[in-house]
Amino acid sequence: MELNRVYLDNAATTPVKPEILDSMLDFYKEGYGNPSSIHSFGREVKSHIDIARENVANLLNASAKEIYFTGGGSEADNWAIKGIALRYMNQDKHIITTEIEHHAVLDTCKYLEKNHGFKVTYLKIKENGIIDIEEFKSAITKDTILTSIMFANNEIGTIQPIKEIGAICRENNIVFHTDAVQAVGNVHIDVKDMNIDMLSLSGHKIYAPKGVGALYIRNGIRLDNLIHGGGQERKKRAGTENVAGIVALGKACEIANKGLDEHISKLTALRDDLISRIQAVIPHTIVTGDLEKRLPSIASFCFKFIEGEALLLSLDLVGIAGSSGSACTSGSLDPSHVLMALGLTHEVAHGSLRLSLSDFTTKEEIDYVVEKLPPIVERLRNMSPLYED
Amino acid sequence: MELNRVYLDNAATTPVKPEILDSMLDFYKEGYGNPSSIHSFGREVKSHIDIARENVANLLNASAKEIYFTGGGSEADNWAIKGIALRYMNQDKHIITTEIEHHAVLDTCKYLEKNHGFKVTYLKIKENGIIDIEEFKSAITKDTILTSIMFANNEIGTIQPIKEIGAICRENNIVFHTDAVQAVGNVHIDVKDMNIDMLSLSGHKIYAPKGVGALYIRNGIRLDNLIHGGGQERKKRAGTENVAGIVALGKACEIANKGLDEHISKLTALRDDLISRIQAVIPHTIVTGDLEKRLPSIASFCFKFIEGEALLLSLDLVGIAGSSGSACTSGSLDPSHVLMALGLTHEVAHGSLRLSLSDFTTKEEIDYVVEKLPPIVERLRNMSPLYED
Amino acid sequence: MYSQKVMDHFTNPRNVGEIETPDGVGEVGNAKCGDIMKIYLKVEENVITDVKFKTYGCGSAIASSSMATEMIKGKTVEEALNLTNKAVAEALDGLPPVKMHCSVLAEQAIKKALQDYARKNNLDIPGLTDIEIDDDHDHHEEIED
Amino acid sequence: MYSQKVMDHFTNPRNVGEIETPDGVGEVGNAKCGDIMKIYLKVEENVITDVKFKTYGCGSAIASSSMATEMIKGKTVEEALNLTNKAVAEALDGLPPVKMHCSVLAEQAIKKALQDYARKNNLDIPGLTDIEIDDDHDHHEEIED
Ligand SMILES: Cc1ncc(COP(=O)(O)O)c(C=O)c1O
Ligand SMILES: Cc1ncc(COP(=O)(O)O)c(C=O)c1O
Ligand code: FES
Ligand code: FES
């Protein structure tokens, strides 16, 4: 069997679904004005933004007025964290997060430490990729104003105990933000039930385009604006709205909401099939992260004795797109902070491979990967001075 | 003559040009990955971003590595101002701007005053809408770290003496930012010649879509990130790139650059025709802002004795889209801060109308407006208790 | 944004104009806020036989004036006095929230005109004297390109 | 990102393997950094008659190993000593900036193997002893989804 292109890098970015693309195209055409304008061109646009907001809210069990559109997941993360931090910086200055956050959270926390005198606790993870709830509890001080813990990790797909964390934060009067960029559309999320105060999401992980996202802000939570200016987004996020992107994000959430159970069961089956077959045929393989508490969409491995970039390159040559937390993909020194936090040795971490699935992924594609991957790993191992068979 | 829709609200937002739309569509399709990814899907995307960056740079006489893409003009303004302010807040804390800036600048300055202890000087404008250079000079103190003065105003189209301002800032070692969201693509801009250190622009004013913009940062200028995180935009602006939007913005700048002289002469002629004919046929009309130092694209009026929203509504009914700085368009109390800064009375300012032109604007459309507008103004005046003919 | 009714009364406003020798005149709003509404009444035997208005203001202010004047024409003074801004807005099939105060202007202008009528004729109309005219606008954000 | 030459040497690397009884062996890099390059030499009468490598590392490290070994095969020890990483990169039609250090590894591995050869044979090869092997990687940003 030959397949042209097997795209298994959906945790990096998903293709835009045709029906989502269709939904947005109209908004580039003439006659669609600025949603803040009074004339009929503008008015029509406004109502489409409102519908999108409803759809995003529905997916999270939030209400529409708690949804604020942003220019992506990173902006949402920055806004949530800096918005609380800069607002309360003259009072208390302690933040809790984890070692395995996305850099949009991590670098924001480091910035606040370095430039604005905050104290940040970076929780470690256990070897299954999940935080220790007791450690979290004991990290809380009377100065803690904010906890930011990701819903699901982008490299290894592990899901944190969000509901427990939310309950603890609520009890202790700490604002709880979660970066759910990878989780939204892949698992069931209920911000009310889970006591989530703020939640970041991003369009391009759920079949909408890049450059649009949203921050859910629970009614009653007060934070500084990240982007000041015009009256858009009820004066909380200035800037003429990326209308087409917002409409697409709304559509994406609507689709995700309708098909969520099916999406989960389909992808979970494919993912488990992929993981177990790869583990069975390739020796010296480590599956990174918890096997159960993981996104249906992410399979992640480390293959000992080889290096990730060479592996990706070889896969690319047979039409398979994946990704690696190996440092050699970018020419830097250390493998990704997530793999290091797992306690893997550098040597093992360098051989990481993430294959991330989408609604478009088929059984045939999984079969193709299971056929092509083992000889590639074998070939690279045979070139490796670390490998002795 | 009947025209279906005459869109003269291009200063609010332009339609997307068909060739620009075409340039971006590919980037939604399958097979276009994350530009940071290593596989071939991702690599291709990267090179398109690089081309866009070149095109933006060329339009400003900047170099490509001085261009950073953002989620729009407001983000660019916020980044420029907060980026400098928060970086140097432990040193000096004085900022100079004007009374007529866009809210993205104004509200950011107010935020810095209120929450972070900055002092901000808001320069007044003369009755032609332009600042007094001597007043600017005497506003400078030894604590001044930043000047932010818009290139051209969005309501009345007046162009500030940017080159003079730039020279003064350079002499005094003050970082000079200009919000050129309205100016880019409408006038010649040379950041080197004009000594501009930072410049904001936005896609949806130059026939690219909403939700994408850029900040030019002169090589050597250091400022804090607004959005921390991933390594995109050379680690200065995190977030997966809005690839389609960026490609479109690049294309828009390329087109603008090629046709700039023609654009300017065509629009200037149409604008002057519109202004002089309206002034000739409608009594009690004030043209707001300087007649010469103004964008080719903006004609702005105040019609005494009537109110702007009623005027817009009437125009909308005959298919003409314009805008008004009248407060009644939004149900707020005061007319726009720009009109007030001009020294107009409330009563006059409420009757404002902005008609803003684009490359698509035709002589026929101008004729149509000149035909339809006078009886509308007359009808509303006849209903007005303020009007006695 | 606006209902068809609003658009109808905006484009074809009823009762625009002035009455030469009115029995009562009421003006509310001010130019500073961008809205002035002036209502002229003709009253015969406690019945409003004619009513005219002039309005400087937004579309919904004009439509509210038109609708409100229609609603009190031929009515008794007491009936006119009971006209609420809500009733005007409802008759217009609703107004956007930020525009509700335009209907308030209409209610108030009528009351002021009735006050004027009562004063001129030394009448003591129950419930009229203790009306408080509140000229406040709602404050809302300025929206911008 | 990579030239066709790089891809060719990556997919069909020349001289992969080990030499059973080598005259010189050089290993540079370390697993921590994700790259180890090991070069085996056979030297006869001052001429490199055979060379093999094993590399743990990225695509460009593998291609650099392959190209570098090709370039010194049949050359004298002195010629091999003069091989620069630039020459390797050029022979590969260039390498991306962040990947230049992979070619440095190749140059250094060869020098180390020649040092080993010289030491074992008590040779004094001009210019060899004072080579400083610098294992430093460039630091570059981590890029992320
Ligand atoms: C002068 C000026 N600055 C800034 C902006 C904000 O740009 P954006 O809408 O892309 O955020 C606008 C228009 O919206 C503008 O006209
Ligand atoms: C967990 C996580 N957080 C945040 C982001 C950033 O989102 P965006 O790329 O839309 O800025 C990503 C992916 O890019 C992510 O995977
Ligand atoms: S071996 Fe690490 S980048 Fe080449
Ligand atoms: S009169 Fe100002 S909003 Fe209606």
Side-chain angles (χ1 to χ4, degrees), chain D residues 20-132:
Chain D
E20 289 264 311
T21 52
D23 296 315
V25 179
E27 180 178 314
V28 291
N30 64 62
K32 190 163 179 276
C33 304
D35 41 31
I36 296 179
M37 208 180 276
K38 199 162 176 182
I39 290 209
Y40 303 81
L41 299 177
K42 201 84 205 164
V43 185
E44 279 171 39
E45 299 184 13
N46 204 38
V47 169
I48 297 169
T49 55
D50 197 12
V51 47
K52 296 273 183 209
F53 79 90
K54 283 225 161 172
T55 291
Y56 160 78
C58 74
S60 103
I62 291 169
S64 296
S65 317
S66 167
M67 178 54 88
T69 51
E70 278 291 275
M71 289 172 87
I72 60 167
K73 213 178 197 172
K75 297 283 157 63
T76 64
V77 166
E78 288 72 22
E79 283 168 334
L81 202 53
N82 285 329
L83 182 77
T84 63
N85 81 299
K86 278 224 183 85
V88 175
E90 267 164 32
L92 287 168
D93 290 345
L95 285 173
V98 296
K99 295 291 183 182
M100 277 307 285
H101 80 97
C102 312
S103 63
V104 174
L105 281 182
E107 178 193 321
Q108 291 176 338
I110 289 172
K111 292 206 165 122
K112 268 213 169 169
L114 290 170
Q115 274 180 337
D116 184 45
Y117 163 69
R119 197 176 329 109
K120 277 184 184 155
N121 294 280
N122 264 324
L123 294 175
D124 188 14
I125 304 170
L128 181 58
T129 41
D130 54 344
I131 288 169
E132 234 186 75

Side-chain angles (χ1 to χ4, degrees), chain A residues 202-269:
Chain A
S202 177
H204 73 106
K205 311 288 187 184
I206 54 170
Y207 316 101
K210 304 168 185 69
V212 64
L215 183 64
Y216 153 81
I217 305 175
R218 185 168 66 84
N219 198 4
I221 299 290
R222 298 266 165 278
L223 72 170
D224 278 5
N225 283 11
L226 185 68
I227 302 183
H228 289 86
Q232 297 91 352
E233 299 298 289
R234 286 141 291 148
K235 263 192 138 12
K236 293 213 169 147
R237 198 283 191 179
T240 302
E241 298 90 339
N242 175 357
V243 183
I246 288 171
V247 167
L249 178 56
K251 188 82 192 162
C253 288
E254 188 194 344
I255 294 174
N257 209 2
K258 270 194 203 130
L260 194 50
D261 286 321
E262 200 193 321
H263 170 90
I264 292 173
S265 63
K266 180 193 152 184
L267 266 63
T268 303

Side-chain angles (χ1 to χ4, degrees), chain A residues 3-31:
Chain A
L3 287 176
N4 245 339
R5 290 187 140 188
V6 177
Y7 183 71
L8 291 174
D9 199 11
N10 293 286
T13 196
T14 49
V16 177
K17 286 188 177 172
E19 63 266 44
I20 294 177
L21 184 55
D22 283 347
S23 76
M24 59 191 290
L25 284 185
D26 276 349
F27 296 90
Y28 297 125
K29 305 257 165 74
E30 206 195 337

Side-chain angles (χ1 to χ4, degrees), chain A residues 34 232 238-241, chain B residues 11-12 71-75 77 102 104 150 152-154 179 181-182 201-205 211-212, chain C residues 144-145:
Chain A
N34 191 313
Q232 297 91 352
T240 302
E241 298 90 339
Chain B
S74 298
E75 185 192 323
D77 285 340
H102 190 270
M150 72 198 318
N153 183 267
N154 45 309
D179 173 346
V181 167
Q182 291 288 341
L201 60 92
S202 176
H204 72 106
K205 311 289 187 183
V212 66
Chain C
E144 212 185 7
D145 317 324

Side-chain angles (χ1 to χ4, degrees), chain A residues 28-102:
Chain A
Y28 297 125
K29 305 257 165 74
E30 206 195 337
Y32 279 93
N34 191 313
S36 300
S37 298
I38 191 164
H39 46 73
S40 51
F41 307 109
R43 266 178 267 147
E44 211 166 322
V45 172
K46 185 97 172 56
S47 74
H48 286 276
I49 293 182
D50 292 340
I51 294 168
R53 203 183 304 283
E54 281 288 346
N55 279 323
V56 176
N58 288 343
L59 184 56
L60 306 174
N61 192 28
S63 86
K65 62 180 194 311
E66 296 173 316
I67 304 298
Y68 299 87
F69 291 112
T70 68
S74 298
E75 183 192 325
D77 284 340
N78 274 259
W79 180 16
I81 296 170
K82 289 179 193 163
I84 293 291
L86 294 181
R87 187 172 188 102
Y88 296 107
M89 66 188 289
N90 297 324
Q91 301 171 25
D92 296 321
K93 287 190 145 182
H94 179 240
I95 294 172
I96 299 175
T97 184
T98 77
E99 279 189 345
I100 60 163
E101 296 299 311
H102 190 271

